[in-house]
Amino acid sequence: MSGLDELQQQADQVRAGGALGKPGALSRLFDYLLERSLAGEAPKEIEIALQVFGKSSSFDVAQDSVVRVYIHKLRRRLDGFYAGLPVVQASRIVIPKGEYRLTIEQATV
């Protein structure tokens, strides 16, 4: 299985497991990051603000932390999802610190 196939499969599990909660900003962020990650792209914070949160082009990432806050929330939801599984997964979706993309991390035993 390729890394992209595994990313898609893990994303489907996360969605099916209800980790993202009700449809809203968190699920839009996850879907956007997944789409860009599958395309091999890592969006900039301003791109996320414009595309996911509907901010205007005059949005100042230094003054508004909405993207960083939601990335933090998404990391916590992913951690909680994997911690709540009855069986330890061989791999999991992570958002590397300082980046805005989804990657697969292999479990360390």
Side-chain angles (χ1 to χ4, degrees):
M1 177 184 309
S2 78
L4 295 179
D5 290 338
E6 189 172 3
L7 181 58
Q8 182 65 60
Q9 182 182 36
Q10 288 286 332
D12 292 343
Q13 280 185 304
V14 168
R15 275 196 207 99
L20 303 174
K22 296 179 183 175
L26 206 57
S27 59
R28 286 194 317 270
L29 175 60
F30 182 79
D31 291 342
Y32 181 77
L33 292 178
L34 176 63
E35 177 184 315
R36 296 292 299 268
S37 297
L38 289 172
E41 303 167 349
K44 304 263 187 250
E45 186 174 350
I46 187 68
E47 294 173 288
I48 296 169
L50 297 172
Q51 298 296 317
V52 176
F53 297 102
K55 299 294 184 179
S56 71
S57 58
S58 63
F59 178 77
D60 183 0
V61 295
Q63 298 297 317
D64 190 334
S65 62
V66 68
V67 173
R68 294 183 302 277
V69 167
Y70 271 89
I71 289 290
H72 178 74
K73 286 180 182 182
L74 184 53
R75 277 191 187 110
R76 284 195 345 239
R77 290 281 183 98
L78 289 170
D79 288 344
F81 171 75
Y82 288 107
L85 292 178
V87 177
V88 175
Q89 296 284 312
S91 60
R92 59 183 283 160
I93 292 177
V94 296
I95 304 171
K97 295 287 183 185
E99 298 182 35
Y100 299 111
R101 64 188 179 99
L102 303 177
T103 62
I104 293 291
E105 178 181 87
Q106 299 301 318
T108 55
V109 179

